[in-house]
């Protein structure tokens, strides 16, 4: 790792590891590595819970069933604490968001050169393996949540009820333009904050791993192991925060008073 870094320069090494494998230009650019790893990790999530459901027993659970039940009970408790409406979609959505984002983030714990090296042996010039370090991926997730917020706001409150909330709160009809401006800023801030928080934390974490890889080989284990242990907390916390905020935002969308 250090040899490769010195060969191409520290700046080139960092840029290379943070450059996605992509096709197209401008708005139509597709980050192929983000799409591949997102789909693969989503498939892993589905396979795990499908396997746990198929092998579930009423007796003593095996390790897979026990872990799956622990995750489901944990997410279900968060939904009960934060969601005050009635919607059968919320708990499965929260479970999917938590597990999928955690798997995205977990890719950050792989040594930074291993998978890109495998990719280079397959003829791939670039390979960025952590989907949550791609702003496109985090915004795709947050915008999906935002669309659900708008959908349920209109469904529960009705088009006119939702319009009144935008125009007349919090200062009444006499300050309609000011109300509308504040409400639009508040709503638009939801997907932006969700996406940027997740992206910023994981991008910084990945950058620190890359900087550690630039150090002499005898310093890398000394620094990378403690940072990896601490990073486990970060990746779990970021998945949890994204899930809880999604639940809270959807709970607010279900308030019809």
């Amino acid at each position: 790792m250090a040899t490769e870094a010195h060969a191409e320069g520290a700046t080139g090494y960092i840029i290379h590891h943070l450059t996605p494998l992509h096709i197209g230009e401008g708005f139509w650019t597709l980050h192929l590595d983000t799409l591949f790893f997102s789909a693969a990790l989503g498939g892993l999530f589905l396979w795990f819970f499908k396997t746990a459901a198929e092998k579930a027993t009423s007796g003593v659970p095996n390790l897979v069933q026990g872990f799956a039940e622990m995750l489901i009970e944990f997410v279900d408790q968060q939904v009960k604490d934060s969601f005050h409406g009635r919607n059968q979609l919320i708990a499965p959505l929260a479970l999917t968001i938590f597990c999928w984002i955690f798997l995205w983030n977990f890719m950050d714990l792989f040594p930074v050169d291993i998978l890109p090296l495998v990719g280079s042996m397959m003829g791939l010039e670039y390979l960025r393996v952590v989907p949550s370090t791609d702003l496109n991926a985090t915004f795709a997730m947050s915008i999906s949540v935002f669309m659900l917020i708008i959908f349920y706001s209109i469904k529960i409150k009705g088009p006119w009820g939702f319009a009144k909330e935008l125009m007349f709160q919090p200062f009444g009809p006499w300050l309609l333009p000011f109300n509308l401006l504040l409400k639009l800023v508040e709503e638009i801030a939801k997907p932006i904050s969700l996406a940027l928080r997740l992206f910023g934390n994981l991008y910084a974490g990945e950058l620190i791993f890359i900087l550690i890889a630039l150090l002499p080989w005898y310093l890398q284990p000394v620094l990378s192991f403690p940072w990896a242990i601490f990073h486990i907390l970060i990746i779990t916390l970021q998945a949890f925060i994204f899930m809880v905020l999604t639940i809270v935002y959807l709970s607010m969308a279900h308030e019809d008073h």
Side-chain angles (χ1 to χ4, degrees):
M1 288 183 288
T3 303
E4 178 188 346
H6 289 304
E8 60 182 3
T11 302
Y13 179 78
I14 294 171
I15 293 174
H16 182 271
H17 276 276
L18 295 178
T19 301
L21 177 67
H22 64 279
I23 59 172
E25 295 294 337
F27 180 79
W28 300 108
T29 301
L30 294 178
H31 292 181
L32 300 179
D33 42 14
T34 297
L35 294 172
F36 172 78
F37 285 107
S38 296
L41 295 171
L44 177 62
F45 161 74
L46 294 174
W47 171 82
F48 175 79
F49 279 94
K50 181 176 182 293
T51 301
E54 290 176 345
K55 297 183 178 181
T57 64
S58 57
V60 178
N62 56 37
L63 183 62
V64 173
Q65 180 183 344
F67 185 64
E69 289 178 352
M70 181 185 70
L71 284 174
I72 292 171
E73 290 174 2
F74 167 72
V75 172
D76 188 57
Q77 186 60 49
Q78 302 306 315
V79 174
K80 289 178 180 177
D81 292 341
S82 304
F83 186 77
H84 307 299
R86 293 180 61 86
N87 191 328
Q88 295 182 345
L89 174 69
I90 303 303
L93 175 66
L95 178 66
T96 301
I97 286 175
F98 177 77
C99 293
W100 202 9
I101 291 180
F102 177 82
L103 290 173
W104 282 8
N105 299 347
F106 188 82
M107 296 297 292
D108 207 13
L109 297 177
F110 282 86
V112 295
D113 284 316
I114 286 185
L115 293 179
L117 178 61
V118 174
S120 67
M121 295 171 62
M122 299 171 60
L124 302 178
E125 183 179 3
Y126 300 104
L127 189 67
R128 190 166 62 178
V129 303
V130 187
S132 41
T133 61
D134 187 346
L135 195 56
N136 296 280
T138 60
F139 260 109
M141 185 74 79
S142 67
I143 290 173
S144 300
V145 171
F146 181 65
M147 292 175 66
L148 286 174
I149 293 170
I150 300 300
F151 172 78
Y152 282 112
S153 294
I154 296 174
K155 180 180 179 181
I156 300 299
K157 302 165 188 176
W160 176 236
F162 181 57
K164 287 195 297 183
E165 182 180 273
L166 292 177
M167 295 184 295
F168 302 150
Q169 293 184 12
F171 300 117
W174 298 108
L175 293 176
L176 186 151
F178 192 60
N179 293 335
L180 186 60
L181 178 62
L182 283 179
K183 192 64 177 178
L184 288 176
V185 170
E186 176 187 341
E187 294 299 321
I188 294 174
K190 292 176 181 177
I192 293 177
S193 63
L194 282 175
L196 292 182
R197 180 186 297 107
L198 177 60
F199 165 77
N201 280 277
L202 270 296
Y203 190 89
E206 177 73 357
L207 184 58
I208 290 176
F209 278 122
I210 294 173
L211 293 175
I212 291 174
L214 288 168
L215 297 174
W217 66 268
Y218 52 84
L219 290 178
Q220 292 175 21
V222 177
L223 296 175
S224 61
F225 182 74
W227 175 244
I229 298 298
F230 177 69
H231 203 56
I232 292 173
L233 174 62
I234 294 176
I235 66 176
T236 307
L237 183 61
Q238 290 305 313
F240 176 76
I241 291 174
F242 201 111
M243 176 193 70
V244 169
L245 288 178
T246 298
I247 298 170
V248 171
Y249 291 155
L250 288 173
S251 179
M252 294 168 61
H254 281 71
E255 294 176 355
D256 57 356
H257 59 279

